[in-house]
Amino acid sequence: MSELQGRRLLLCVGGGIAAYKACEVARLFAKAGAELRCAMTPAAQRFVAPLTFQALTGRAPATDLFDAAQELAAGHIALADSAEFVIVAPTTADLLARLRGGFADDVVTATLLAIPPARWLLAPAMNEKMWASPAVQENLATLIARGANIVGPGVGEMAERAHVGPGRMAEASEIVAAACALVARLPETPRIVDALATGSVAAAPHLIEQRAWDLEGVPVLVTAGPTREHLDPVRFLSNPSTGRMGFALAQAARDRGARVLLVAGATEIEPPAGVEFVRAESAAEMASVVDVRAGEMRAIVMAAAVSDQRPAERASHKVKKPDGDELLRLVRTPDILAGLGARYAQATPRPLLVGFAAETEHLEEHAREKLARKQLDLIVANDVSAAGQGFAAKDNRVVVLGRDGSRVELGGPKLAVADGIWDLVASRLSRE
Ligand code: CTP
């Protein structure tokens, strides 16, 4: 798990019998090379001695919010600031409730309050009847809605031998694997650029290079790739889109902390890790996924090249060739984006809607018309006739037009263009 090498993690231990398994979690993190700190609730210290975590991590865990020496050495805010990611294991029913309520009366809750929930991985552990209670489920749902990540609980034998059911804390190896996947999505820690070596920068503040992290926990939907409209099982109408631009958008959003749903047509390339991926082959399939999930989203970017028409009939068997020429009757597919524009025209809150206009002539004129007709916030106008950009190319050059009259040109690798698009989206979301 070299991904965890040097990453600054905080393990918060709650007061439940599964606290003994947190020792193994700490051991695995330390073994993976993470810079691990620990914090324990007062209840956790009744199950496992702080000395155990000190032995495993080489540092005394934070145990007491009111201990002057501990606060002086590394106060809870310093602890929060130093952690890139927090694992709470076990997360007891009581801790879930206190995290939901924003309590800050011990070192664990006070520290977590200063860290955004999207950077938490909670490993719940409790009796299966407690787990099933409406209070626990409501607390959990609220924390998930705030961006918290959950691993487990598993189904299995509980400490109370007669009980079997969901509530058992995930195994240490599962917790570490889940943390690993989530930490891989975080941007790199601010890096000191070795500018002194090049002699290009003198003043210290300029040496800090930090990537944008402005979509933390924000749910966004990105569509990508071409749709296929089948005539029969082996023939379809489609277009040359590869999905590269949409995948770059999903990846760039993920790298800024967003929770990404990527809905893709028939693409060949590998989807980015750490995003929810749904395949939708035809325009109708894509429309139904987007329509169902749109309500959860703060921004929807339709980079998919959706077929405007489909064959009126779809044969269930391969159609044999006719003797002579034949006319193919086409019918319209749903315009997904125009549908969203109409649905959210008067609504608040509404997701920010971003369309693409792939054009071969009168680029900005056509794009502006689509921006207005589909009631969008932004449209990315893309000249697909120019060499080295558009469909299948690695680079792209676009003009982004806003409903507010703004006009921004972006160019470069598709990932850089994607980042530029998210800059525009993020600045609009922050003004809402
Ligand atoms: N779009 C959509 N549903 C469709 C067709 C297009 O949601 N059935 C979306 C695309 O994903 C893109 C935007 O609408 O974000 C513009 O797509 P484009 O094909 O350029 O526009 P059309 O409205 O289809 O206009 P035309 O093909 O006539 O240029």
Side-chain angles (χ1 to χ4, degrees):
M1 304 242 175
S2 57
E3 295 96 320
L4 293 177
Q5 185 69 41
R7 303 307 293 252
R8 297 185 316 266
L9 306 185
L10 174 65
L11 174 64
C12 291
V13 187
I17 180 60
Y20 80 92
K21 287 207 227 167
C23 302
E24 177 63 2
V25 175
R27 194 184 70 78
L28 292 176
F29 278 137
K31 195 170 153 216
E35 266 184 47
L36 184 68
R37 305 282 313 264
C38 291
M40 303 176 78
T41 64
Q45 295 164 54
R46 301 180 68 165
F47 287 92
V48 183
L51 203 56
T52 308
F53 288 97
Q54 183 169 336
L56 288 166
T57 64
R59 291 172 104 160
T63 52
D64 189 350
L65 192 56
F66 303 104
D67 181 311
Q70 276 191 24
E71 274 296 297
L72 201 64
H76 64 281
I77 296 300
L79 197 58
D81 284 346
S82 71
E84 292 179 77
F85 195 76
V86 195
I87 300 90
V88 187
T91 309
T92 59
D94 178 67
L95 199 44
L96 265 183
R98 295 193 308 128
L99 291 176
R100 183 204 181 162
F103 285 38
D105 56 352
D106 64 43
V107 72
V108 165
T109 50
T111 305
L112 282 163
L113 203 54
I115 300 176
R119 295 184 183 217
W120 302 354
L121 174 64
L122 309 180
M126 66 199 74
N127 166 281
E128 88 277 8
K129 287 187 184 148
M130 292 166 76
W131 173 251
S133 81
V136 165
Q137 290 301 315
E138 250 181 68
N139 291 338
L140 192 75
T142 304
L143 291 170
I144 291 173
R146 288 180 197 162
N149 306 285
I150 313 292
V151 55
V155 177
E157 195 174 275
M158 315 292 272
E160 312 84 347
R161 285 288 174 75
H163 292 265
V164 175
R168 191 170 186 267
M169 189 169 87
E171 294 306 323
S173 57
E174 292 166 350
I175 295 173
V176 173
C180 205
L182 291 160
V183 168
R185 292 172 42 184
L186 295 174
E188 283 173 35
T189 32
R191 236 170 347 117
I192 303 295
V193 180
D194 194 7
L196 292 179
T198 63
S200 59
V201 186
H206 296 115
L207 300 181
I208 305 289
E209 185 192 74
Q210 185 153 28
R211 285 167 61 188
W213 182 246
D214 48 7
L215 293 175
E216 182 151 1
V218 174
V220 303
L221 189 159
V222 176
T223 65
T227 60
R228 283 181 178 172
E229 310 300 330
H230 277 268
L231 287 78
D232 69 15
V234 296
R235 300 184 184 94
F236 52 79
L237 298 178
S238 194
N239 61 67
S241 165
T242 58
R244 273 184 212 285
M245 191 62 231
F247 281 29
L249 279 157
Q251 185 178 336
R254 175 202 73 185
D255 290 347
R256 298 165 85 123
R259 294 156 77 89
V260 183
L261 169 62
L262 173 60
V263 183
T267 49
E268 298 277 327
I269 54 175
E270 195 64 23
V275 307
E276 185 184 349
F277 183 74
V278 175
R279 181 75 72 194
E281 206 189 33
S282 64
E285 277 171 35
M286 190 172 278
S288 67
V289 178
V290 172
D291 285 346
V292 169
R293 302 291 302 271
E296 306 161 28
M297 303 297 162
R298 301 264 325 271
I300 300 177
V301 183
M302 284 285 306
V306 186
S307 221
D308 292 317
Q309 289 160 320
R310 64 171 173 82
E313 315 290 342
R314 177 182 175 155
S316 54
H317 301 289
K318 184 181 170 193
V319 177
K320 288 294 166 197
K321 61 177 169 293
D323 290 336
D325 296 344
E326 194 184 27
L327 283 176
L328 179 62
R329 200 165 78 83
L330 299 176
V331 295
R332 289 290 300 268
T333 56
D335 188 322
I336 306 169
L337 199 48
L340 292 173
R343 170 170 159 194
Y344 291 111
Q346 307 298 335
T348 42
R350 59 186 289 276
L352 199 110
L353 298 179
V354 184
F356 268 69
E359 308 291 345
T360 55
E361 55 180 3
H362 308 300
L363 180 66
E364 293 190 34
E365 191 188 320
H366 286 319
R368 237 178 261 288
E369 181 276 318
K370 284 176 193 174
L371 176 74
R373 174 163 49 87
K374 302 196 185 200
Q375 307 185 72
L376 310 179
D377 298 279
L378 292 169
I379 194 146
V380 184
N382 198 177
D383 180 353
V384 287
S385 65
Q389 64 186 60
F391 291 137
K394 289 222 160 34
D395 291 350
N396 209 355
R397 175 157 292 283
V398 301
V399 182
V400 189
L401 305 173
R403 174 207 285 263
D404 51 9
S406 62
R407 182 185 182 284
V408 176
E409 287 184 30
L410 299 169
K414 285 185 171 169
L415 198 55
V417 172
D419 242 332
I421 295 170
W422 288 119
D423 283 343
L424 300 172
V425 171
S427 73
R428 280 163 176 76
L429 289 180
S430 72
R431 277 188 250 133
E432 277 178 0

